[in-house]
Amino acid sequence: MNSANPLLHHEQLIDYARVRIEHLQPAIEQIIADNHSAIDVIIEQQRNLPTWDDLVLAVDALDARLNNTLYSIAPLLLRGGEWQQAASVCWDLAQAFFVQKRQNTELLALYERLAVSPHGLNLDWQSKAALQRTFRTYRLSGAHLTVAQRVKLMALEQQISDLQNAFYDNLGRSSDSWSLHIVDEQRLRGLPIVNRSAMAAAAQAKGLGGWLIVLEEASCLAVIEHAQDRDLREQVYRAYLQRGASQESAFDNGQVFQALADARQEKAQLLGFDDFVQFNLQRREGAAAQQVRAFLTDLTRQTQPGLQQERQQLQDFAQQQGLPSIEPWDVAYLRKQLRNTPLALSEDEVRACFSLDTVIKALVDLARQLFGLVLTEVRSIPTWDPGVRAFEVEQDHALLGYLYIDAIGREGKQADSAWTYYVCNRHIDAEGRYHKAAAALFTSIVPAQDGDPPLLSHLDLRKVFHEFGHCLHHLLVRTSNYHLSDVQNLGPGGFEVAGKLFERWCWSAEYLAAISSHYLTGAALTVPAIQTFLGQLQAQEQPKLAVELAKSLFDLDLHGKADDGRSVVQRVADSFVSAGAWPLADFERPLHAFDHLVAGYDAGYFGYLWADVYAFDLFSRFEQEGLLNPSTGRALHADLFALGAARPVQVGVEAFLKRPLSAAPFLRWYGLSEV
């Protein structure tokens, strides 16, 4: 088996055409076994005189081999069924290995001995930074605990993993159990064509006529924001805002969140922290908990006047429309209607000018203009699905790595999702060999319909540009150390900066007009037309900011005060009130589907807002010097992206700006007070 297993014998990129289900688990098990044996040899050989090459780089090479294989397998989860089961087993095996490795006290002692040796004291600053990161990782993984305490920690880790799986099971169960079959097209008045087409396709897939609404973001938000039929809006809103909720505690994600918070709290205290917030900020190199809470409190204060004004405007507008009171399912619809003008572009008109091919060409051009990157599509690179596109990435005639773009929604992908896999980290091994980076971009764009190509809404554009920013960040790192090249080590605010920054181009009317092209005629949108369209969207962003604040406050509250006796439902309600978001009705469970808290953003969701402040300020320099200015792009690369996780992101941001960070651009765009 092993000699024929393509996951064990490859240069860098996997030949997916040769991979079978039976290859997955044996490959990961073999690599883990090899790693255990290699670590034993390293400990024995390095015991007297540990060195950088034979200790640090040797162990990094083991990590790289396992991670590269694991993240190459990860896209196979999307095939569902037995593939998903096998890939999930691989993930669990690898994570268990890494937990065990980071608790290896003999290995940690060698790192510590190296750091204080003459050899270690003469290392360059990046190598010393890598060593300090290693010490922190081992401490936060429990290497300093007693054997009994480590056994307890392993049990808590398993409990947390089981609860995270339960969250997804509950969310999937509740989402799959509801759908609404529409036979009267009049009920869909006001909905964009693309959403009606998707609903018709969903019905056809079930052997039904008419239209089928399922609990997916695009369809549900289209109904809630656009449907003229108020009863339809209510039906969909009630179902969508109760995903993950159940009267049975075992199936209720509120109960899951509480159990998760309790287990995480116990884990943090076992590791010597007061609460999980303190632990996670230390683990991710974030700011101090007090600084984070002060940031959110200040931002909350600044949003209140605008939110109160908007609420009064909606109430006045509702009365004009003959609504004596505003129900929850009216709010988003009224916001759309209040700011709608007869001459405004419709969402269908905008979408028609951004086919997937047009957008990918724009991304390739943007990377070339800003960073001198050349992205060349190579059809001979094997992929995990025929719809995936693969690119070689070059800069200054040197091959940096590879980019996969898996953009189209299909069975197995969570609808409306978008994410990035960092398949391989750039690094140089002990023999001086250069290992190239590889990243994979995933979105769930609605497939081609009725002969039309896949077309992107403005939200789709923002998701694609966001994930492309993550990929570029990864590909542009210039550190030679495997772990310093991992941009995920930048902490909650730092990790999201690149994604948030690249979203800003989607809010430039000049840029969007320049890349737009109607899929039938080739005609471009005009700047004034797009400015009006973007102005309408921007006016709705402040209420969305309030919801993001509520999520961040809930996250910190849950993980900072897990045992104060309040229920998750009460915590959510408190967070919405504190953030000034629209008050919740008794039936609403808006955060029971909050999957970020089981996907790595627990006690760190505030990072999205933190990164937004960075991104707006970074983008202000592009606004001043030109959105496609290559000198500005090269400066961004040199000052922020190139050093990966070798230094805090704020240092890089301020080096690029040549001044201290300012929240003013962020506040101005949202119409908030700077006082």
Side-chain angles (χ1 to χ4, degrees):
M1 167 68 75
N2 287 348
S3 62
N5 192 328
L7 296 173
L8 291 171
H9 304 281
H10 60 91
E11 283 296 317
Q12 180 169 23
L13 302 182
I14 297 297
D15 184 356
Y16 287 97
R18 295 177 53 215
V19 176
R20 303 288 180 264
I21 292 178
E22 57 268 24
H23 291 143
L24 273 58
Q25 186 173 340
I28 295 297
E29 289 176 338
Q30 182 63 59
I31 294 171
I32 289 173
D34 292 346
N35 282 8
H36 279 303
S37 298
I39 287 173
D40 289 341
V41 172
I42 290 169
I43 290 173
E44 181 61 32
Q45 294 182 346
Q46 292 288 290
R47 198 177 301 278
N48 295 326
L49 185 64
T51 65
W52 176 261
D53 285 0
D54 294 330
L55 172 61
V56 178
L57 295 189
V59 176
D60 285 355
L62 303 179
D63 290 349
R65 185 189 180 204
L66 180 53
N67 272 328
N68 292 356
T69 306
L70 183 66
Y71 281 99
S72 295
I73 286 173
L76 302 178
L77 284 161
L78 302 177
R79 294 179 177 176
E82 293 181 359
W83 284 96
Q84 183 178 15
Q85 294 174 10
S88 296
V89 169
C90 291
W91 181 266
D92 291 341
L93 289 170
Q95 297 315 304
F97 165 78
F98 282 122
V99 169
Q100 185 177 4
K101 191 204 85 169
R102 292 164 188 156
Q103 293 179 354
N104 189 320
T105 55
E106 290 185 288
L107 200 55
L108 175 58
L110 293 181
Y111 283 112
E112 292 173 335
R113 191 177 307 161
L114 170 62
V116 298
S117 71
H119 177 58
L121 293 173
N122 285 299
L123 291 170
D124 62 76
W125 74 270
Q126 286 196 33
S127 299
K128 289 179 179 178
L131 277 177
Q132 291 303 314
R133 178 179 299 282
T134 299
F135 298 149
R136 181 173 54 254
T137 298
Y138 274 69
R139 183 172 67 85
L140 296 176
S141 299
H144 63 291
L145 300 179
T146 66
V147 173
Q149 288 172 323
R150 289 203 294 273
V151 170
K152 176 62 176 176
L153 180 60
M154 290 290 286
L156 286 170
E157 295 285 13
Q158 185 60 55
Q159 182 182 351
I160 289 169
S161 177
D162 292 343
L163 287 166
Q164 290 171 335
N165 291 334
F167 172 91
Y168 285 116
D169 289 343
N170 291 344
L171 182 57
R173 184 183 297 105
S174 65
S175 297
D176 294 342
S177 67
W178 186 94
S179 62
L180 182 62
H181 185 210
I182 303 292
V183 294
D184 180 5
E185 189 173 9
Q186 289 299 306
R187 298 201 70 191
L188 301 179
R189 285 178 301 169
L191 267 67
I193 294 171
V194 67
N195 299 116
R196 296 202 302 270
S197 297
M199 293 170 185
Q204 186 176 11
K206 296 290 186 181
L208 302 171
W211 301 264
L212 189 67
I213 302 173
V214 296
L215 290 184
E216 296 176 353
E217 181 184 44
S219 296
C220 291
L221 293 188
V223 171
I224 293 166
E225 293 181 351
H226 296 281
Q228 298 174 21
D229 187 324
R230 195 184 188 199
D231 290 338
L232 178 61
R233 294 203 307 270
E234 179 180 358
Q235 283 180 277
V236 172
Y237 188 93
R238 285 182 176 274
Y240 189 68
L241 269 294
Q242 293 186 74
R243 291 171 302 145
S246 174
Q247 295 296 322
E248 298 182 56
S249 60
F251 300 143
D252 183 74
N253 278 344
Q255 301 296 325
V256 172
F257 274 150
Q258 185 60 59
L260 267 172
D262 291 339
R264 288 167 175 162
Q265 172 80 357
E266 190 173 355
K267 171 184 172 180
Q269 291 178 340
L270 184 62
L271 291 166
F273 295 88
D274 291 338
D275 56 50
F276 188 74
V277 173
Q278 290 185 1
F279 163 78
N280 226 24
L281 292 179
Q282 177 71 229
R283 180 169 68 93
R284 295 173 171 176
E285 295 188 53
Q290 184 177 2
Q291 186 181 1
V292 172
R293 291 190 172 97
F295 165 71
L296 295 178
T297 298
D298 192 47
L299 191 54
T300 298
R301 175 184 58 80
Q302 291 163 324
T303 63
Q304 299 309 303
L307 292 171
Q308 292 171 3
Q309 182 180 6
E310 193 245 10
R311 189 171 302 172
Q312 187 60 54
Q313 288 177 339
L314 285 186
Q315 290 171 344
D316 294 342
F317 183 65
Q319 291 182 348
Q320 295 172 15
Q321 302 299 307
L323 291 177
S325 62
I326 300 177
E327 297 294 345
W329 46 88
D330 297 323
V331 176
Y333 177 76
L334 289 173
R335 282 178 179 145
K336 283 282 186 183
Q337 297 303 310
L338 175 62
R339 295 172 176 85
N340 192 32
T341 61
L343 299 179
L345 291 169
S346 70
E347 295 190 19
D348 286 325
E349 290 173 314
V350 172
R351 186 182 281 106
C353 293
F354 295 101
S355 69
L356 181 59
D357 284 343
T358 295
V359 172
I360 290 180
K361 179 181 182 301
L363 294 175
V364 170
D365 288 344
L366 185 60
R368 174 182 55 80
Q369 291 167 307
L370 291 184
F371 306 114
L373 293 178
V374 177
L375 274 65
T376 304
E377 187 164 8
V378 181
R379 299 189 184 278
S380 60
I381 294 177
T383 62
W384 50 88
D385 185 87
V388 179
R389 300 170 66 169
F391 297 79
E392 289 184 342
V393 182
E394 295 181 332
Q395 187 182 52
D396 299 329
H397 306 291
L399 180 61
L400 302 183
Y402 307 93
L403 171 66
Y404 298 99
I405 297 181
D406 188 346
I408 303 296
R410 62 178 181 274
E411 187 177 358
K413 273 189 180 180
Q414 182 180 344
D416 314 306
S417 58
W419 71 99
T420 295
Y421 281 141
Y422 302 102
V423 182
C424 304
N425 293 355
R426 166 199 165 95
H427 64 285
I428 298 174
D429 64 23
E431 284 72 41
R433 292 177 299 184
Y434 169 58
H435 296 258
K436 295 176 283 292
L441 182 161
F442 296 84
T443 57
S444 297
I445 308 301
V446 175
Q449 295 180 341
D450 302 324
D452 296 338
L455 302 174
L456 280 71
S457 67
H458 191 261
L459 177 58
D460 292 329
L461 280 173
R462 301 200 305 268
K463 289 180 178 180
V464 170
F465 272 70
H466 182 102
E467 301 306 329
F468 189 66
H470 282 317
C471 291
L472 287 185
H473 191 181
H474 183 68
L475 291 163
L476 287 167
V477 168
R478 291 295 173 270
T479 52
S480 59
N481 177 265
Y482 178 78
H483 292 290
L484 293 184
S485 295
D486 186 353
V487 296
Q488 297 175 94
N489 286 325
L490 279 168
F495 169 55
E496 287 294 341
V497 167
K500 285 291 190 176
L501 173 60
F502 275 80
E503 285 187 49
R504 300 320 307 160
W505 271 266
C506 298
W507 289 99
S508 166
E510 291 78 8
Y511 177 74
L512 289 185
I515 68 170
S516 64
S517 176
H518 195 283
Y519 74 97
L520 291 176
T521 67
L525 295 170
T526 67
V527 172
I530 292 196
Q531 281 177 328
T532 301
F533 176 79
L534 292 179
Q536 292 176 318
L537 292 182
Q538 186 176 345
Q540 300 170 52
E541 287 300 301
Q542 193 176 116
K544 293 179 181 178
L545 174 62
V547 174
E548 292 299 288
L549 270 169
K551 290 179 177 179
S552 299
L553 292 170
F554 166 71
D555 177 25
L556 291 186
D557 179 34
L558 178 66
H559 291 108
K561 304 173 183 176
D563 56 357
D564 70 357
R566 287 177 299 142
S567 68
V568 165
V569 172
Q570 184 59 57
R571 291 178 192 275
V572 172
D574 291 345
S575 71
F576 271 68
V577 170
S578 297
W582 199 274
L584 298 177
D586 289 344
F587 69 86
E588 292 186 70
R589 299 292 181 266
L591 302 191
H592 275 55
F594 189 17
D595 57 354
H596 283 80
L597 298 196
V598 296
Y601 287 83
D602 37 295
Y605 190 77
F606 74 89
Y608 279 107
L609 294 174
W610 200 283
D612 245 347
V613 174
Y614 286 135
F616 274 87
D617 209 12
L618 290 168
F619 192 66
S620 69
R621 180 172 168 184
F622 285 97
E623 291 177 311
Q624 294 167 4
E625 300 176 3
L627 299 187
L628 302 177
N629 188 317
S631 296
T632 313
R634 290 285 185 151
L636 179 71
H637 180 197
D639 293 331
L640 184 61
F641 290 169
L643 287 174
R647 70 178 183 184
V649 69
Q650 186 164 337
V651 176
V653 169
E654 294 183 348
F656 172 74
L657 294 172
K658 299 180 174 61
R659 58 168 171 77
L661 177 71
S662 170
F666 172 87
L667 297 173
R668 281 198 300 270
W669 193 84
Y670 278 103
L672 304 179
S673 168
E674 296 181 38
V675 179

